Amino acid sequence: MSTKPDELNQRIGARVRLERESLGWSLTQLAARSGVSRAMVHKVERGDCSPTATLLARLSGAFDLSMSELIARAEMRAGRLLRQAEQPVWIDPQSGYVRRHVSPASDMPLDLVHITLPPGAVVAMPAAAYASRRQLIWSLSGSLVFLEGETRHVLDEGDCLELGPPADCVFRNETATACTYAVAVLKGA
């Protein structure tokens, strides 16, 4: 999508504020529910920072949304066709993880996301990011190490994993080449 990173950060921040206000929560309440400091929530809402994947997962989990839903609500308009050039792309400033929202914004209970994880990158996701939704991870190229709580999964090209009950998770690329994978998120499951 042609949106610049600063513009996307502004839209994500505005969406976080809208979600918070629609629930009638103060900054302090969102901070307590997400485990993100009040000051950082305020920076995100103002678009003054590039939030990390872990931070966005904590905030979206507090709203009982997936990170996909939060970013889609910030960036996408409804429609049945979402061309690649229009798909929102977000880059984690900490790990360089590139996340592209592939599925159109609709009432369909599925989100599809394409991820590129750079060599050596590590992205942690809190259990709250997996509450009230089921997910599949499909390795498209390279090798992905996925830590689901205490369980270690190594996904090579073509492998597909259904996630278990919500647990703190870590995505790792322990190789010297980028790995790509798709995440299918079934909402409200």
Side-chain angles (χ1 to χ4, degrees):
M1 185 169 232
S2 60
T3 304
K4 294 177 183 163
D6 289 344
E7 291 173 16
L8 184 55
N9 289 336
Q10 291 286 328
R11 289 181 184 176
I12 289 170
R15 190 68 216 188
V16 167
R17 184 176 51 254
L18 181 65
E19 294 293 335
R20 177 180 62 78
E21 290 173 349
S22 72
L23 293 167
W25 295 351
S26 66
L27 282 170
T28 302
Q29 288 171 307
L30 177 54
R33 290 173 188 263
S34 65
V36 175
S37 74
R38 185 183 186 286
M40 182 55 74
V41 171
H42 188 60
K43 282 183 174 182
V44 169
E45 286 189 358
R46 288 192 333 246
D48 289 344
C49 70
S50 274
T52 65
T54 302
L55 188 139
L56 281 179
R58 289 183 183 281
L59 291 172
S60 59
F63 297 132
D64 195 29
L65 298 172
S66 69
M67 198 165 74
S68 298
E69 290 171 291
L70 182 65
I71 291 176
R73 288 180 180 189
E75 188 63 6
M76 295 170 37
R77 56 189 182 281
R80 293 184 6 203
L81 175 63
L82 184 59
R83 300 210 181 269
Q84 184 175 4
E86 298 170 340
Q87 295 168 356
V89 174
W90 177 79
I91 301 171
D92 179 13
Q94 185 175 28
S95 67
Y97 149 114
V98 179
R99 181 190 178 291
R100 184 167 45 92
H101 194 107
V102 176
S103 54
S106 71
D107 60 356
M108 182 177 246
L110 177 78
D111 277 324
L112 189 57
V113 179
H114 180 274
I115 308 291
T116 301
L117 195 60
V122 176
V123 177
M125 294 287 182
Y130 304 99
S132 74
R133 58 197 43 85
R134 297 183 67 190
Q135 297 188 39
L136 296 171
I137 300 171
W138 179 24
S139 180
L140 302 172
S141 69
S143 182
L144 172 68
V145 174
F146 180 68
L147 304 173
E148 185 178 25
E150 299 297 317
T151 305
R152 178 183 167 96
H153 305 279
V154 178
L155 299 156
D156 292 317
E157 186 173 329
D159 295 347
C160 189
L161 172 69
E162 177 184 4
L163 274 61
D168 289 340
C169 296
V170 178
F171 294 82
R172 293 188 157 187
N173 182 349
E174 296 178 351
T175 71
T177 59
C179 69
T180 59
Y181 56 95
V183 178
V185 181
L186 185 60
K187 302 181 269 188

